[in-house]
């Protein structure tokens, strides 16, 4: 006859191999009484580690031939190891923040393992769209005096994009310069 105490969190208190699901760290004692003259006891402690969370971050959209930084976060603070999959397009699949440069849309799954050996997963999708345009930029003069202006020009080659500087809808915006010392 076997008896396990305490009985909380056990599937059976009078069997040799109960399943333990305690809500906190618990030391269980088993007593075996195989005859009136032989009684044996032993203890086992089941450690319950605190729950932790993992966030792979928000989904990301990039152009083809570009890269992005992935960044997983875990809480509470502790020592975790990380593993990302699939590994294609990643700078290092075994760090918390690899650089991703996929050729096509992919969902990366990160697994964090706590120092106690518990694991949790989360994923992030990197959507790859169009080809990033190549941009060639030139300035009329590289140095301007205070109050002067110079014409900035750039040319997109390949892909689709938008222009910047002071106006996001033109290919040759004007910008007031500052004196170079």
């Amino acid at each position: 006859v076997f008896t396990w105490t305490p009985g909380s969190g056990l599937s059976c208190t009078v069997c040799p191999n109960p399943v333990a699901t305690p809500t906190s760290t618990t030391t269980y004692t088993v007593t075996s009484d195989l005859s009136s003259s032989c009684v044996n006891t032993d203890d086992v402690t089941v450690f319950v580690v605190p729950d932790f969370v993992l966030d792979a971050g928000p989904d990301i959209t990039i152009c083809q031939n570009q890269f992005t930084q992935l960044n997983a976060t875990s809480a509470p603070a502790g020592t975790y190891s990380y593993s990302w999959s699939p590994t294609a397009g990643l700078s290092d699949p075994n760090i918390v923040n690899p650089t991703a440069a996929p050729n096509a849309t992919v969902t990366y799954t990160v697994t964090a393992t706590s120092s106690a050996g518990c694991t949790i997963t989360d994923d992030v999708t990197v959507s790859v769209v169009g080809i990033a345009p190549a941009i060639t930029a030139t300035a009329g003069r590289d140095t301007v005096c205070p109050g002067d202006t110079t014409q900035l020009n750039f040319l997109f080659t390949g892909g689709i994009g938008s222009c910047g500087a002071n106006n996001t809808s033109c290919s040759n915006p004007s910008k007031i310069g500052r004196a170079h010392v």
Side-chain angles (χ1 to χ4, degrees), residues 39-129:
V39 175
N40 289 314
T41 64
D42 199 4
D43 296 327
V44 63
T45 301
V46 178
F47 294 92
V48 177
V49 295
D51 199 12
F52 67 103
V53 295
L54 173 66
D55 184 8
D59 291 345
I60 303 164
T61 300
I62 63 172
C63 293
Q64 277 184 338
N65 304 321
Q66 289 186 328
F67 63 90
T68 188
Q69 187 83 44
L70 303 180
N71 193 13
T73 56
S74 300
T79 302
Y80 304 98
S81 61
Y82 297 90
S83 175
W84 292 85
S85 66
T87 60
L90 295 180
S91 60
D92 184 344
N94 297 310
I95 61 175
V96 69
N97 57 348
T99 300
N103 293 324
T105 298
V106 63
T107 298
Y108 289 107
T109 300
V110 60
T111 301
T113 304
S114 72
S115 57
C118 300
T119 61
I120 191 169
T121 62
D122 195 22
D123 57 41
V124 60
T125 299
V126 178
S127 299
V128 179
V129 297

